[in-house]
Amino acid sequence: MKRKKKKIQVTKWILLISFTILFARLIYASINSWNYHKTHNNNTITITPTMHLNNNV
């Protein structure tokens, strides 16, 4: 019975480490995507419209 308890304990540690890594990657990806979205929107806003003059009048 002692061996089964040790296996459960090791499994819990592995799951805890795995979820910690996944959570850290989620935070990292969300920060990077927010920064990308922020810079992408800034680049599209700075487009200046051009005026076309019709000289055929």
Side-chain angles (χ1 to χ4, degrees):
M1 200 57 129
K2 191 174 182 182
R3 186 175 178 138
K4 187 175 182 180
K5 187 174 184 175
K6 187 174 181 177
K7 282 184 179 181
I8 292 173
Q9 198 74 0
V10 170
T11 305
K12 285 182 181 180
W13 276 107
I14 291 172
L15 287 173
L16 179 67
I17 292 169
S18 299
F19 283 125
T20 304
I21 291 171
L22 285 174
F23 187 67
R25 289 182 66 188
L26 175 68
I27 293 172
Y28 178 76
S30 63
I31 291 172
N32 283 339
S33 65
W34 182 73
N35 285 337
Y36 173 77
H37 182 71
K38 186 177 168 185
T39 58
H40 183 69
N41 280 346
N42 286 343
N43 288 341
T44 57
I45 291 173
T46 58
I47 296 174
T48 57
T50 58
M51 185 186 310
H52 297 285
L53 298 174
N54 191 355
N55 292 332
N56 295 333
V57 178

